[in-house]
Amino acid sequence: MEKIVEQTLLYDFYGELLTVHQREVYEDVVLGDLGYSEAAEELGVSRQGIHDLVKRVDRQLAGYEEKLHLVERFLKIQEDVTQIRELAAGDSFGRQQAAEVTQICDRILNEL
């Protein structure tokens, strides 16, 4: 998985477990594409401090995933629903049933 996608997913699932300061810095640097130097200047800390905080948060988020596996489960469910949707679009279902299955899958995917 591409690193920024992985970081975003981990943050989406576990970001609320971080402190307010960690969330603000991580959002600015990783999700907002603000440079370490810019974030450091804005917060009045060193560039190294920002770098260390981002690395520490990355490890923390990865640790949560190692224990809870929420992102892994989410991706599996998403994959399964996509597969169901593709099967429903095939010729083995009647049109009415396929439309209903597709509609249910769309609803599940939107909720994820």
Side-chain angles (χ1 to χ4, degrees), residues 1-64:
M1 188 179 339
E2 189 178 327
K3 183 173 173 122
I4 190 68
V5 173
E6 182 180 358
Q7 287 174 308
T8 302
L9 278 172
L10 290 171
Y11 183 80
D12 285 347
F13 277 87
Y14 305 114
E16 289 299 315
L17 300 173
L18 303 172
T19 67
V20 173
H21 178 69
Q22 287 173 322
R23 282 196 308 265
E24 289 172 353
V25 172
Y26 200 79
E27 285 175 7
D28 286 347
V29 174
V30 175
L31 307 177
D33 205 29
L34 192 66
Y36 292 138
S37 298
E38 295 168 308
E41 186 177 316
E42 191 174 291
L43 295 170
V45 297
S46 71
R47 181 192 177 287
Q48 186 64 44
I50 296 295
H51 178 269
D52 292 347
L53 185 140
V54 169
K55 293 301 176 193
R56 188 170 49 252
V57 168
D58 278 337
R59 284 192 307 272
Q60 202 172 346
L61 294 174
Y64 292 143

Short mmCIF file of all heavy atoms in Angstrom, two decimals, residues 1-64:
data_model
loop_
_atom_site.label_atom_id
_atom_site.label_comp_id
_atom_site.label_asym_id
_atom_site.label_seq_id
_atom_site.Cartn_x
_atom_site.Cartn_y
_atom_site.Cartn_z
N MET A 1 0.85 -1.17 0.00
CA MET A 1 0.00 0.00 0.00
C MET A 1 0.89 1.24 0.00
O MET A 1 1.89 1.28 0.70
CB MET A 1 -0.89 -0.05 1.25
CG MET A 1 -1.93 0.99 1.29
SD MET A 1 -3.05 0.97 2.72
CE MET A 1 -2.97 -0.64 3.38
N GLU A 2 0.52 2.23 -0.77
CA GLU A 2 1.30 3.46 -0.83
C GLU A 2 1.33 4.10 0.56
O GLU A 2 0.35 4.10 1.29
CB GLU A 2 0.66 4.41 -1.84
CG GLU A 2 1.51 5.61 -2.13
CD GLU A 2 0.88 6.52 -3.17
OE1 GLU A 2 0.19 6.02 -4.06
OE2 GLU A 2 1.09 7.73 -3.04
N LYS A 3 2.48 4.65 0.92
CA LYS A 3 2.70 5.15 2.28
C LYS A 3 1.67 6.20 2.70
O LYS A 3 1.13 6.13 3.80
CB LYS A 3 4.12 5.70 2.43
CG LYS A 3 4.40 6.16 3.85
CD LYS A 3 5.82 6.54 4.06
CE LYS A 3 5.96 7.15 5.42
NZ LYS A 3 6.88 6.52 6.29
N ILE A 4 1.39 7.18 1.85
CA ILE A 4 0.45 8.24 2.24
C ILE A 4 -0.97 7.68 2.42
O ILE A 4 -1.70 8.10 3.32
CB ILE A 4 0.47 9.44 1.25
CG1 ILE A 4 -0.33 10.63 1.81
CG2 ILE A 4 -0.08 9.05 -0.10
CD1 ILE A 4 0.27 11.28 3.01
N VAL A 5 -1.34 6.71 1.61
CA VAL A 5 -2.65 6.07 1.75
C VAL A 5 -2.71 5.32 3.07
O VAL A 5 -3.70 5.40 3.81
CB VAL A 5 -2.95 5.13 0.55
CG1 VAL A 5 -4.23 4.35 0.78
CG2 VAL A 5 -3.03 5.92 -0.74
N GLU A 6 -1.63 4.61 3.37
CA GLU A 6 -1.57 3.87 4.63
C GLU A 6 -1.63 4.82 5.82
O GLU A 6 -2.38 4.59 6.78
CB GLU A 6 -0.28 3.04 4.69
CG GLU A 6 -0.16 2.22 5.95
CD GLU A 6 1.11 1.40 5.99
OE1 GLU A 6 1.90 1.44 5.03
OE2 GLU A 6 1.31 0.72 7.01
N GLN A 7 -0.86 5.91 5.76
CA GLN A 7 -0.88 6.88 6.86
C GLN A 7 -2.27 7.48 7.03
O GLN A 7 -2.74 7.66 8.16
CB GLN A 7 0.13 8.00 6.58
CG GLN A 7 1.57 7.58 6.75
CD GLN A 7 2.52 8.69 6.33
OE1 GLN A 7 2.42 9.23 5.24
NE2 GLN A 7 3.45 9.01 7.23
N THR A 8 -2.93 7.78 5.93
CA THR A 8 -4.26 8.37 5.99
C THR A 8 -5.27 7.40 6.60
O THR A 8 -6.07 7.78 7.46
CB THR A 8 -4.72 8.80 4.58
OG1 THR A 8 -3.77 9.74 4.06
CG2 THR A 8 -6.09 9.45 4.62
N LEU A 9 -5.23 6.14 6.17
CA LEU A 9 -6.14 5.15 6.73
C LEU A 9 -5.89 4.95 8.22
O LEU A 9 -6.84 4.92 9.02
CB LEU A 9 -5.98 3.80 6.00
CG LEU A 9 -6.73 3.66 4.70
CD1 LEU A 9 -6.32 2.36 3.99
CD2 LEU A 9 -8.23 3.68 4.93
N LEU A 10 -4.64 4.81 8.60
CA LEU A 10 -4.32 4.64 10.02
C LEU A 10 -4.80 5.84 10.83
O LEU A 10 -5.37 5.69 11.91
CB LEU A 10 -2.82 4.42 10.21
CG LEU A 10 -2.27 3.08 9.72
CD1 LEU A 10 -0.74 3.08 9.78
CD2 LEU A 10 -2.85 1.93 10.51
N TYR A 11 -4.58 7.03 10.29
CA TYR A 11 -5.02 8.23 11.00
C TYR A 11 -6.54 8.28 11.09
O TYR A 11 -7.09 8.65 12.14
CB TYR A 11 -4.48 9.49 10.32
CG TYR A 11 -4.86 10.74 11.07
CD1 TYR A 11 -4.15 11.12 12.19
CD2 TYR A 11 -5.95 11.51 10.67
CE1 TYR A 11 -4.52 12.25 12.91
CE2 TYR A 11 -6.31 12.64 11.38
CZ TYR A 11 -5.59 13.00 12.51
OH TYR A 11 -5.96 14.11 13.22
N ASP A 12 -7.22 7.92 10.01
CA ASP A 12 -8.69 7.92 10.02
C ASP A 12 -9.24 7.00 11.12
O ASP A 12 -10.22 7.33 11.78
CB ASP A 12 -9.25 7.49 8.67
CG ASP A 12 -9.14 8.56 7.61
OD1 ASP A 12 -8.85 9.73 7.95
OD2 ASP A 12 -9.31 8.23 6.42
N PHE A 13 -8.61 5.86 11.29
CA PHE A 13 -9.09 4.89 12.26
C PHE A 13 -8.64 5.19 13.69
O PHE A 13 -9.39 4.95 14.63
CB PHE A 13 -8.65 3.47 11.88
CG PHE A 13 -9.56 2.85 10.85
CD1 PHE A 13 -9.35 3.06 9.51
CD2 PHE A 13 -10.63 2.07 11.24
CE1 PHE A 13 -10.19 2.52 8.56
CE2 PHE A 13 -11.48 1.51 10.29
CZ PHE A 13 -11.26 1.72 8.94
N TYR A 14 -7.42 5.66 13.85
CA TYR A 14 -6.84 5.77 15.19
C TYR A 14 -6.48 7.19 15.61
O TYR A 14 -5.98 7.39 16.72
CB TYR A 14 -5.59 4.89 15.30
CG TYR A 14 -5.84 3.45 14.93
CD1 TYR A 14 -5.25 2.90 13.79
CD2 TYR A 14 -6.66 2.64 15.70
CE1 TYR A 14 -5.47 1.57 13.45
CE2 TYR A 14 -6.90 1.32 15.36
CZ TYR A 14 -6.30 0.78 14.23
OH TYR A 14 -6.52 -0.53 13.89
N GLY A 15 -6.72 8.17 14.77
CA GLY A 15 -6.32 9.54 15.05
C GLY A 15 -6.89 10.10 16.35
O GLY A 15 -6.23 10.87 17.05
N GLU A 16 -8.08 9.69 16.70
CA GLU A 16 -8.71 10.19 17.93
C GLU A 16 -7.98 9.71 19.19
O GLU A 16 -8.18 10.26 20.26
CB GLU A 16 -10.18 9.78 17.99
CG GLU A 16 -11.05 10.52 16.99
CD GLU A 16 -11.07 12.02 17.20
OE1 GLU A 16 -11.20 12.46 18.37
OE2 GLU A 16 -10.96 12.75 16.21
N LEU A 17 -7.12 8.72 19.05
CA LEU A 17 -6.36 8.23 20.20
C LEU A 17 -5.11 9.06 20.47
O LEU A 17 -4.46 8.88 21.48
CB LEU A 17 -5.97 6.76 19.97
CG LEU A 17 -7.15 5.79 19.79
CD1 LEU A 17 -6.64 4.41 19.41
CD2 LEU A 17 -7.99 5.73 21.06
N LEU A 18 -4.80 9.97 19.56
CA LEU A 18 -3.64 10.84 19.71
C LEU A 18 -4.01 12.07 20.54
O LEU A 18 -5.18 12.42 20.67
CB LEU A 18 -3.14 11.29 18.34
CG LEU A 18 -2.75 10.19 17.35
CD1 LEU A 18 -2.47 10.80 15.98
CD2 LEU A 18 -1.56 9.40 17.85
N THR A 19 -2.99 12.75 21.04
CA THR A 19 -3.25 14.00 21.75
C THR A 19 -3.64 15.08 20.73
O THR A 19 -3.38 14.92 19.52
CB THR A 19 -2.00 14.49 22.51
OG1 THR A 19 -0.98 14.84 21.56
CG2 THR A 19 -1.49 13.43 23.48
N VAL A 20 -4.21 16.15 21.19
CA VAL A 20 -4.60 17.24 20.30
C VAL A 20 -3.37 17.78 19.56
O VAL A 20 -3.42 18.00 18.35
CB VAL A 20 -5.30 18.37 21.11
CG1 VAL A 20 -5.54 19.58 20.23
CG2 VAL A 20 -6.60 17.87 21.70
N HIS A 21 -2.27 17.96 20.28
CA HIS A 21 -1.04 18.46 19.67
C HIS A 21 -0.54 17.51 18.58
O HIS A 21 -0.17 17.95 17.48
CB HIS A 21 0.04 18.67 20.74
CG HIS A 21 1.35 19.13 20.20
ND1 HIS A 21 1.54 20.39 19.67
CD2 HIS A 21 2.54 18.49 20.10
CE1 HIS A 21 2.79 20.50 19.25
NE2 HIS A 21 3.42 19.36 19.51
N GLN A 22 -0.52 16.22 18.87
CA GLN A 22 -0.08 15.23 17.88
C GLN A 22 -0.97 15.28 16.64
O GLN A 22 -0.47 15.24 15.52
CB GLN A 22 -0.10 13.81 18.48
CG GLN A 22 0.99 13.53 19.47
CD GLN A 22 0.81 12.18 20.13
OE1 GLN A 22 -0.31 11.76 20.44
NE2 GLN A 22 1.93 11.50 20.36
N ARG A 23 -2.27 15.36 16.86
CA ARG A 23 -3.21 15.41 15.72
C ARG A 23 -2.96 16.64 14.87
O ARG A 23 -2.93 16.56 13.64
CB ARG A 23 -4.65 15.40 16.22
CG ARG A 23 -5.15 14.04 16.62
CD ARG A 23 -6.66 13.97 16.72
NE ARG A 23 -7.26 15.00 17.57
CZ ARG A 23 -7.56 14.84 18.84
NH1 ARG A 23 -7.33 13.70 19.45
NH2 ARG A 23 -8.12 15.82 19.52
N GLU A 24 -2.80 17.79 15.51
CA GLU A 24 -2.59 19.04 14.76
C GLU A 24 -1.34 18.98 13.91
O GLU A 24 -1.36 19.31 12.73
CB GLU A 24 -2.53 20.23 15.72
CG GLU A 24 -3.86 20.58 16.33
CD GLU A 24 -3.75 21.65 17.41
OE1 GLU A 24 -2.62 22.04 17.80
OE2 GLU A 24 -4.81 22.09 17.90
N VAL A 25 -0.25 18.56 14.50
CA VAL A 25 1.02 18.48 13.77
C VAL A 25 0.93 17.45 12.66
O VAL A 25 1.32 17.70 11.52
CB VAL A 25 2.21 18.17 14.73
CG1 VAL A 25 3.48 17.92 13.94
CG2 VAL A 25 2.41 19.32 15.71
N TYR A 26 0.41 16.27 12.96
CA TYR A 26 0.31 15.20 11.98
C TYR A 26 -0.58 15.61 10.80
O TYR A 26 -0.25 15.36 9.65
CB TYR A 26 -0.22 13.93 12.64
CG TYR A 26 0.09 12.67 11.86
CD1 TYR A 26 1.35 12.10 11.91
CD2 TYR A 26 -0.87 12.05 11.08
CE1 TYR A 26 1.64 10.94 11.21
CE2 TYR A 26 -0.60 10.90 10.37
CZ TYR A 26 0.66 10.35 10.44
OH TYR A 26 0.95 9.21 9.73
N GLU A 27 -1.70 16.25 11.11
CA GLU A 27 -2.59 16.72 10.05
C GLU A 27 -1.88 17.74 9.17
O GLU A 27 -1.99 17.70 7.94
CB GLU A 27 -3.86 17.32 10.63
CG GLU A 27 -4.82 16.28 11.16
CD GLU A 27 -6.02 16.89 11.85
OE1 GLU A 27 -6.20 18.14 11.82
OE2 GLU A 27 -6.80 16.12 12.43
N ASP A 28 -1.17 18.68 9.78
CA ASP A 28 -0.46 19.70 9.01
C ASP A 28 0.62 19.11 8.13
O ASP A 28 0.70 19.42 6.94
CB ASP A 28 0.17 20.74 9.94
CG ASP A 28 -0.85 21.69 10.56
OD1 ASP A 28 -2.00 21.71 10.09
OD2 ASP A 28 -0.47 22.39 11.52
N VAL A 29 1.45 18.25 8.70
CA VAL A 29 2.62 17.75 7.98
C VAL A 29 2.27 16.62 7.02
O VAL A 29 2.66 16.64 5.85
CB VAL A 29 3.72 17.31 8.98
CG1 VAL A 29 4.88 16.65 8.26
CG2 VAL A 29 4.20 18.49 9.79
N VAL A 30 1.56 15.61 7.50
CA VAL A 30 1.30 14.43 6.68
C VAL A 30 0.09 14.61 5.78
O VAL A 30 0.15 14.37 4.57
CB VAL A 30 1.14 13.17 7.56
CG1 VAL A 30 0.77 11.95 6.74
CG2 VAL A 30 2.43 12.92 8.33
N LEU A 31 -1.01 15.05 6.35
CA LEU A 31 -2.24 15.16 5.57
C LEU A 31 -2.34 16.49 4.83
O LEU A 31 -2.94 16.56 3.76
CB LEU A 31 -3.45 14.95 6.48
CG LEU A 31 -3.42 13.67 7.32
CD1 LEU A 31 -4.63 13.61 8.23
CD2 LEU A 31 -3.33 12.44 6.44
N GLY A 32 -1.77 17.54 5.40
CA GLY A 32 -1.85 18.86 4.79
C GLY A 32 -0.64 19.21 3.95
O GLY A 32 -0.58 20.27 3.36
N ASP A 33 0.35 18.34 3.92
CA ASP A 33 1.54 18.52 3.10
C ASP A 33 2.32 19.78 3.46
O ASP A 33 2.92 20.42 2.61
CB ASP A 33 1.15 18.51 1.61
CG ASP A 33 2.31 18.08 0.73
OD1 ASP A 33 3.16 17.31 1.21
OD2 ASP A 33 2.37 18.52 -0.43
N LEU A 34 2.33 20.13 4.75
CA LEU A 34 3.13 21.25 5.23
C LEU A 34 4.52 20.71 5.54
O LEU A 34 4.66 19.61 6.09
CB LEU A 34 2.50 21.82 6.51
CG LEU A 34 3.00 23.15 7.03
CD1 LEU A 34 2.66 24.27 6.05
CD2 LEU A 34 2.34 23.45 8.38
N GLY A 35 5.54 21.43 5.16
CA GLY A 35 6.91 20.97 5.40
C GLY A 35 7.27 20.98 6.87
O GLY A 35 6.67 21.71 7.67
N TYR A 36 8.27 20.18 7.24
CA TYR A 36 8.73 20.15 8.63
C TYR A 36 9.16 21.53 9.09
O TYR A 36 8.83 21.96 10.19
CB TYR A 36 9.90 19.18 8.80
CG TYR A 36 9.57 17.72 8.63
CD1 TYR A 36 10.42 16.87 7.93
CD2 TYR A 36 8.42 17.17 9.19
CE1 TYR A 36 10.13 15.52 7.79
CE2 TYR A 36 8.13 15.83 9.06
CZ TYR A 36 8.99 15.01 8.35
OH TYR A 36 8.71 13.68 8.22
N SER A 37 9.90 22.23 8.25
CA SER A 37 10.40 23.56 8.62
C SER A 37 9.25 24.53 8.81
O SER A 37 9.25 25.33 9.75
CB SER A 37 11.35 24.09 7.55
OG SER A 37 12.47 23.25 7.44
N GLU A 38 8.27 24.47 7.91
CA GLU A 38 7.11 25.37 8.02
C GLU A 38 6.33 25.10 9.30
O GLU A 38 5.93 26.03 10.00
CB GLU A 38 6.20 25.21 6.80
CG GLU A 38 6.83 25.63 5.49
CD GLU A 38 6.02 25.19 4.29
OE1 GLU A 38 5.69 23.98 4.21
OE2 GLU A 38 5.72 26.05 3.45
N ALA A 39 6.10 23.82 9.59
CA ALA A 39 5.36 23.45 10.80
C ALA A 39 6.14 23.87 12.04
O ALA A 39 5.57 24.38 13.01
CB ALA A 39 5.09 21.95 10.82
N ALA A 40 7.46 23.67 12.00
CA ALA A 40 8.30 24.05 13.14
C ALA A 40 8.24 25.55 13.40
O ALA A 40 8.11 25.99 14.55
CB ALA A 40 9.74 23.61 12.88
N GLU A 41 8.32 26.32 12.33
CA GLU A 41 8.27 27.77 12.46
C GLU A 41 6.91 28.21 13.01
O GLU A 41 6.83 29.07 13.89
CB GLU A 41 8.53 28.41 11.10
CG GLU A 41 8.63 29.92 11.14
CD GLU A 41 8.96 30.49 9.78
OE1 GLU A 41 9.84 29.94 9.09
OE2 GLU A 41 8.31 31.50 9.41
N GLU A 42 5.86 27.61 12.49
CA GLU A 42 4.50 27.95 12.92
C GLU A 42 4.28 27.65 14.40
O GLU A 42 3.61 28.39 15.10
CB GLU A 42 3.51 27.14 12.07
CG GLU A 42 2.08 27.57 12.20
CD GLU A 42 1.19 26.81 11.23
OE1 GLU A 42 1.30 27.04 10.01
OE2 GLU A 42 0.39 25.97 11.70
N LEU A 43 4.88 26.55 14.88
CA LEU A 43 4.68 26.14 16.27
C LEU A 43 5.78 26.61 17.21
O LEU A 43 5.71 26.41 18.41
CB LEU A 43 4.55 24.61 16.35
CG LEU A 43 3.33 24.02 15.64
CD1 LEU A 43 3.43 22.51 15.57
CD2 LEU A 43 2.06 24.44 16.36
N GLY A 44 6.82 27.19 16.66
CA GLY A 44 7.91 27.68 17.49
C GLY A 44 8.77 26.58 18.09
O GLY A 44 9.24 26.70 19.22
N VAL A 45 8.94 25.51 17.34
CA VAL A 45 9.79 24.40 17.78
C VAL A 45 10.80 24.08 16.68
O VAL A 45 10.75 24.66 15.60
CB VAL A 45 8.97 23.13 18.13
CG1 VAL A 45 8.02 23.40 19.29
CG2 VAL A 45 8.19 22.64 16.93
N SER A 46 11.70 23.14 16.96
CA SER A 46 12.71 22.81 15.96
C SER A 46 12.13 21.89 14.88
O SER A 46 11.15 21.17 15.10
CB SER A 46 13.90 22.11 16.62
OG SER A 46 13.52 20.81 17.04
N ARG A 47 12.78 21.92 13.73
CA ARG A 47 12.41 21.05 12.62
C ARG A 47 12.56 19.59 13.06
O ARG A 47 11.74 18.74 12.75
CB ARG A 47 13.30 21.34 11.41
CG ARG A 47 12.97 20.51 10.20
CD ARG A 47 14.06 20.62 9.13
NE ARG A 47 13.80 19.79 8.00
CZ ARG A 47 13.92 18.47 7.98
NH1 ARG A 47 14.28 17.82 9.06
NH2 ARG A 47 13.66 17.78 6.88
N GLN A 48 13.64 19.31 13.79
CA GLN A 48 13.89 17.96 14.28
C GLN A 48 12.77 17.50 15.21
O GLN A 48 12.37 16.34 15.20
CB GLN A 48 15.24 17.89 15.00
CG GLN A 48 15.64 16.48 15.40
CD GLN A 48 15.85 15.56 14.21
OE1 GLN A 48 16.48 15.96 13.23
NE2 GLN A 48 15.33 14.35 14.29
N GLY A 49 12.27 18.42 16.03
CA GLY A 49 11.17 18.09 16.93
C GLY A 49 9.93 17.66 16.17
O GLY A 49 9.25 16.70 16.55
N ILE A 50 9.62 18.37 15.08
CA ILE A 50 8.47 18.02 14.25
C ILE A 50 8.70 16.66 13.59
O ILE A 50 7.82 15.80 13.57
CB ILE A 50 8.21 19.10 13.18
CG1 ILE A 50 7.83 20.44 13.85
CG2 ILE A 50 7.14 18.65 12.18
CD1 ILE A 50 6.53 20.43 14.60
N HIS A 51 9.90 16.47 13.05
CA HIS A 51 10.25 15.20 12.41
C HIS A 51 10.09 14.04 13.39
O HIS A 51 9.48 13.01 13.06
CB HIS A 51 11.68 15.26 11.87
CG HIS A 51 12.13 14.00 11.24
ND1 HIS A 51 12.78 13.01 11.95
CD2 HIS A 51 12.01 13.54 9.96
CE1 HIS A 51 13.04 12.00 11.13
NE2 HIS A 51 12.59 12.30 9.92
N ASP A 52 10.62 14.20 14.59
CA ASP A 52 10.53 13.15 15.60
C ASP A 52 9.09 12.87 15.99
O ASP A 52 8.69 11.71 16.15
CB ASP A 52 11.33 13.53 16.85
CG ASP A 52 12.83 13.54 16.60
OD1 ASP A 52 13.28 13.03 15.55
OD2 ASP A 52 13.56 14.09 17.46
N LEU A 53 8.28 13.91 16.12
CA LEU A 53 6.88 13.74 16.49
C LEU A 53 6.14 12.96 15.40
O LEU A 53 5.37 12.03 15.71
CB LEU A 53 6.21 15.10 16.72
CG LEU A 53 4.78 14.99 17.23
CD1 LEU A 53 4.52 16.05 18.29
CD2 LEU A 53 3.78 15.13 16.10
N VAL A 54 6.36 13.30 14.15
CA VAL A 54 5.68 12.61 13.05
C VAL A 54 6.09 11.14 13.02
O VAL A 54 5.24 10.25 12.87
CB VAL A 54 5.97 13.30 11.69
CG1 VAL A 54 5.50 12.45 10.52
CG2 VAL A 54 5.29 14.67 11.65
N LYS A 55 7.37 10.85 13.17
CA LYS A 55 7.84 9.46 13.19
C LYS A 55 7.25 8.70 14.38
O LYS A 55 6.87 7.54 14.26
CB LYS A 55 9.37 9.40 13.23
CG LYS A 55 10.03 9.91 11.98
CD LYS A 55 9.57 9.12 10.77
CE LYS A 55 10.13 9.69 9.50
NZ LYS A 55 9.49 9.15 8.30
N ARG A 56 7.19 9.35 15.53
CA ARG A 56 6.64 8.73 16.73
C ARG A 56 5.14 8.42 16.53
O ARG A 56 4.67 7.34 16.88
CB ARG A 56 6.85 9.64 17.94
CG ARG A 56 6.49 9.00 19.26
CD ARG A 56 6.94 9.82 20.47
NE ARG A 56 6.58 11.23 20.42
CZ ARG A 56 7.44 12.24 20.21
NH1 ARG A 56 8.73 12.00 20.04
NH2 ARG A 56 7.04 13.50 20.19
N VAL A 57 4.42 9.36 15.93
CA VAL A 57 3.00 9.14 15.67
C VAL A 57 2.80 8.02 14.65
O VAL A 57 1.91 7.18 14.81
CB VAL A 57 2.31 10.45 15.22
CG1 VAL A 57 0.91 10.18 14.67
CG2 VAL A 57 2.24 11.44 16.37
N ASP A 58 3.65 7.97 13.62
CA ASP A 58 3.58 6.87 12.65
C ASP A 58 3.72 5.52 13.36
O ASP A 58 2.96 4.58 13.09
CB ASP A 58 4.66 7.00 11.58
CG ASP A 58 4.29 7.94 10.46
OD1 ASP A 58 3.09 8.17 10.23
OD2 ASP A 58 5.23 8.45 9.79
N ARG A 59 4.69 5.42 14.25
CA ARG A 59 4.91 4.16 15.00
C ARG A 59 3.72 3.86 15.91
O ARG A 59 3.30 2.71 16.03
CB ARG A 59 6.19 4.24 15.81
CG ARG A 59 7.46 4.09 15.00
CD ARG A 59 8.70 3.89 15.87
NE ARG A 59 8.87 4.91 16.88
CZ ARG A 59 9.51 6.08 16.70
NH1 ARG A 59 10.06 6.35 15.53
NH2 ARG A 59 9.62 6.95 17.68
N GLN A 60 3.20 4.89 16.53
CA GLN A 60 2.06 4.72 17.43
C GLN A 60 0.84 4.21 16.66
O GLN A 60 0.17 3.26 17.10
CB GLN A 60 1.74 6.08 18.08
CG GLN A 60 0.99 6.02 19.36
CD GLN A 60 0.92 7.41 20.01
OE1 GLN A 60 1.64 8.34 19.65
NE2 GLN A 60 0.05 7.54 20.97
N LEU A 61 0.55 4.82 15.52
CA LEU A 61 -0.60 4.40 14.70
C LEU A 61 -0.41 2.97 14.21
O LEU A 61 -1.35 2.17 14.21
CB LEU A 61 -0.80 5.36 13.53
CG LEU A 61 -1.21 6.79 13.89
CD1 LEU A 61 -1.22 7.68 12.65
CD2 LEU A 61 -2.56 6.83 14.59
N ALA A 62 0.81 2.64 13.77
CA ALA A 62 1.10 1.28 13.31
C ALA A 62 0.94 0.29 14.47
O ALA A 62 0.45 -0.84 14.27
CB ALA A 62 2.51 1.20 12.73
N GLY A 63 1.32 0.69 15.66
CA GLY A 63 1.16 -0.16 16.84
C GLY A 63 -0.30 -0.45 17.15
O GLY A 63 -0.67 -1.58 17.49
N TYR A 64 -1.14 0.57 17.02
CA TYR A 64 -2.58 0.36 17.21
C TYR A 64 -3.11 -0.64 16.20
O TYR A 64 -3.90 -1.53 16.53
CB TYR A 64 -3.35 1.68 17.07
CG TYR A 64 -3.09 2.69 18.16
CD1 TYR A 64 -3.03 4.05 17.86
CD2 TYR A 64 -2.92 2.32 19.49
CE1 TYR A 64 -2.80 5.00 18.86
CE2 TYR A 64 -2.70 3.26 20.48
CZ TYR A 64 -2.64 4.59 20.17
OH TYR A 64 -2.42 5.52 21.14
#
